[in-house]
Amino acid sequence: MKKEQKLAVFKKRFVWIFCMTLCLVFAGCKDGSDDQADPAKAEESSENQVAAEETTTGGILTETETIDDVTLDGMSMDILKGMSTEEKVGQMLFVGLDSIRTDGKTGTLTSLKKETEKSVTTLSPGGIILYSKNMKTQEQTKEMIGTLQEWSRIPLFIGSEEEGGKTSRIASAKGMKIKAGPEAKELGEAGDSQKVQEEGSRIGAYMKDLGFNLNFAPVADVAAEEEQKILDGRSYGTDSKQVSGMVEETVKGIQSQNVSAVLKYFPGQGSLKEDTHKGSVDVAKTIKELRETEFVPFQAGIEAGADFVMVGHASYSLVTGNQTPASLSSLILSEILRNELRFQSVIITDSMNMKAITEVYSSSDAAVKAIEAGADMILCPYNGKEIYEGILQAVKEGKIEEDRINESVLRILKVKIKREIIPRDTDLIEQSK
């Protein structure tokens, strides 16, 4: 975009914001006179305003951030206008390198072949997840991430799973020479919220330094005592209030480094008796029980400003009335997570290669159902091309409206702009003109 064009865009946004501000000022003068006449009403108004601000941004709201929200909306819409349907569908995929490699194989991949560039540009994924097998040294990891970003017209989410303890994909790769932190269970037992936030910040900092901008953490599940073996120390504990405090501090710590946090596994898998990696699992919890226990840490993480929520593949038949995995249920995603818990950012599914999905659905059918249910991104480490083609076909046939795709892509773009993955002076807007 030329300098004159950029100036014109910013002038328009400034005039709009200025006018809105004048309206608020005059409205505020009127309200102020009424409140002075009734101190109780003034106090109530003040409390309501604070509560609204805390609900919106996790307790931190400034005039600059309010203006930034307007900018986020404007920039996201401008970028969306310049995207093809194929690019929009691609943005909804969070793939592994096995999905984009050209030799058709899976397994260790620590370097990129030039032919892979075509696959990245064709698929245009919204994000790429790296595992320990993809990381040899810090230098190699930085170079790989840099290359992937260079190949992508729309900057990528680059994520990994760095919870601490055994589930630390980066720290567990020997050549990375990074110390893994304590497990969530250990942190929860210590009960030191400051330590939890510091650990989240430490993890976010070394991820950011390597080029990552998203961490698939923290686990927000409340562990049932008898089922702790399934979570294997990955939950902060068995008390929902305690877990909530730990989740909140972890989100704040990770995102203080401008790395997105991902709350998982909604609506709560702490009482699983079997593993969804191995097959279908039903959680025998009523909606009342979920609200009293499982939802509590997720609500805390949402209010702390978490950018993502990951939905698991367990079913909740006492809530939905069927054995549909949560990740494919509109009741779970749209009615409960969006409307009841008021989460307005990015919903991502758990990995689509788990047997809870693959034993019942094809990858593409499951992805289409997830999007129809309300998911914004599909995690697909091994079958990204198949899922991409299935979603694109559903859009072309009218099974999924493009407006529905646009809703998700706007959420994705907003997070990318907020986390400075897409820079404020991006030329993506110029390309949309």
Side-chain angles (χ1 to χ4, degrees), residues 28 36 48 64 72 90 101 121 128 131 134 144 155 160 193 196 198 214 223 241 279 290 306 342 402 404:
Q36 286 173 356
N48 289 341
T64 302
L72 285 176
R101 63 192 299 171
T121 55
I128 293 177
Y131 297 93
N134 306 128
M144 174 179 278
S160 195
S193 59
V196 172
E198 288 173 355
L214 181 143
K241 185 176 181 181
L290 290 174
R342 299 186 181 278
E402 189 149 359
R404 168 68 195 86

Side-chain angles (χ1 to χ4, degrees), residues 105-156:
K105 298 179 181 179
T106 60
T108 301
L109 183 63
T110 55
S111 62
L112 299 171
K113 295 182 179 180
K114 187 64 178 175
E115 303 86 65
T116 310
E117 180 178 0
K118 182 178 179 181
S119 185
V120 173
T121 55
T122 301
L123 200 62
S124 187
I128 293 177
I129 183 170
L130 299 183
Y131 297 93
S132 299
K133 67 181 183 179
N134 306 128
M135 292 175 266
K136 200 171 181 180
T137 66
Q138 292 191 31
E139 292 71 21
Q140 166 265 334
T141 303
K142 288 179 181 180
E143 183 179 352
M144 174 179 278
I145 291 173
T147 299
L148 290 169
Q149 292 288 21
E150 287 175 8
W151 286 348
S152 183
R153 186 177 89 88
I154 301 171
L156 296 154

Side-chain angles (χ1 to χ4, degrees), residues 126-395:
I128 293 177
I129 183 170
L130 299 183
Y131 297 93
S132 299
K133 67 181 183 179
N134 306 128
M135 292 175 266
K136 200 171 181 180
T137 66
Q138 292 191 31
E139 292 71 21
Q140 166 265 334
T141 303
K142 288 179 181 180
E143 183 179 352
M144 174 179 278
I145 291 173
T147 299
L148 290 169
Q149 292 288 21
E150 287 175 8
W151 286 348
S152 183
R153 186 177 89 88
I154 301 171
L156 296 154
F157 286 122
I158 302 289
S160 195
E161 192 175 35
E162 205 71 2
E163 298 172 10
K166 293 185 291 293
T167 311
S168 301
R169 310 301 182 186
I170 300 170
S172 62
K174 294 180 181 178
M176 298 299 284
K177 297 181 179 180
I178 292 173
K179 181 182 177 181
E183 288 190 332
K185 182 181 179 182
E186 181 181 339
L187 288 169
E189 288 173 345
D192 186 341
S193 59
Q194 183 177 349
K195 173 66 175 176
V196 172
Q197 185 173 148
E198 288 173 355
E199 184 59 23
S201 180
R202 183 186 75 87
I203 290 172
Y206 70 69
M207 291 187 77
K208 189 71 175 178
D209 181 63
L210 291 167
F212 291 95
N213 49 45
L214 181 143
N215 186 9
F216 286 98
V219 171
D221 295 331
V222 180
E225 285 283 3
E226 66 275 15
E227 307 304 336
Q228 183 62 250
K229 62 180 182 179
I230 299 294
L231 289 173
D232 195 23
R234 297 169 64 199
S235 168
Y236 288 107
T238 59
D239 178 80
S240 60
K241 185 176 181 181
Q242 178 197 31
V243 173
S244 296
M246 302 290 106
V247 166
E248 178 182 354
E249 296 305 321
T250 303
V251 169
K252 289 178 179 177
I254 292 170
Q255 295 192 167
S256 71
Q257 302 300 320
N258 226 13
V259 172
S260 290
V262 182
L263 304 174
K264 59 187 186 182
Y265 300 89
F266 191 79
Q269 297 186 163
S271 59
L272 285 186
K273 291 181 170 60
E274 301 294 338
D275 191 343
T276 51
H277 286 83
K278 300 177 181 179
S280 299
V281 185
D282 189 56
V283 176
K285 292 259 187 173
T286 65
I287 187 64
K288 183 176 184 293
E289 289 172 319
L290 290 174
R291 284 172 176 153
E292 290 176 347
T293 303
E294 275 74 11
F295 290 177
V296 179
F298 284 96
Q299 188 70 71
I302 289 168
E303 290 176 2
D307 289 337
F308 281 70
V309 171
M310 175 180 282
V311 182
H313 296 318
S315 60
Y316 298 76
S317 60
L318 296 181
V319 176
T320 63
N322 54 49
Q323 299 285 331
T324 301
S327 55
L328 313 185
S329 168
S330 61
L331 178 61
I332 299 292
L333 274 66
S334 296
E335 294 302 321
I336 295 176
L337 184 52
R338 284 277 185 235
N339 295 337
E340 182 176 337
L341 272 66
R342 299 186 181 278
F343 179 65
Q344 299 305 315
S345 196
V346 180
I347 297 176
I348 186 169
T349 69
D350 204 347
S351 175
M352 284 294 180
N353 68 313
M354 294 184 182
K355 288 187 178 180
I357 294 295
T358 60
E359 287 183 343
V360 183
Y361 311 90
S362 71
S363 296
S364 58
D365 284 346
V368 169
K369 289 179 182 298
I371 292 169
E372 289 176 329
D376 299 307
M377 296 193 82
I378 310 297
L379 182 58
C380 43
Y382 305 117
N383 46 10
K385 293 178 182 177
E386 177 187 341
I387 287 175
Y388 169 81
E389 290 169 359
I391 298 171
L392 191 58
Q393 187 64 30
V395 174

Side-chain angles (χ1 to χ4, degrees), residues 1-19 67-68 70-76 78 417 423-427 429-430 433:
M1 181 184 291
K2 293 180 180 179
K3 184 175 181 181
E4 294 81 1
Q5 291 175 312
K6 286 187 176 181
L7 185 60
V9 170
F10 280 109
K11 280 183 176 179
K12 287 180 181 178
R13 288 180 183 161
F14 176 79
V15 169
W16 187 88
I17 294 166
F18 180 73
C19 291
I67 294 172
D68 279 349
V70 175
T71 304
L72 285 176
D73 289 340
M75 286 185 67
S76 300
D78 286 345
I417 297 166
R424 296 297 175 93
D425 60 350
T426 177
D427 61 359
I429 295 176
E430 181 179 11
K433 299 301 181 184

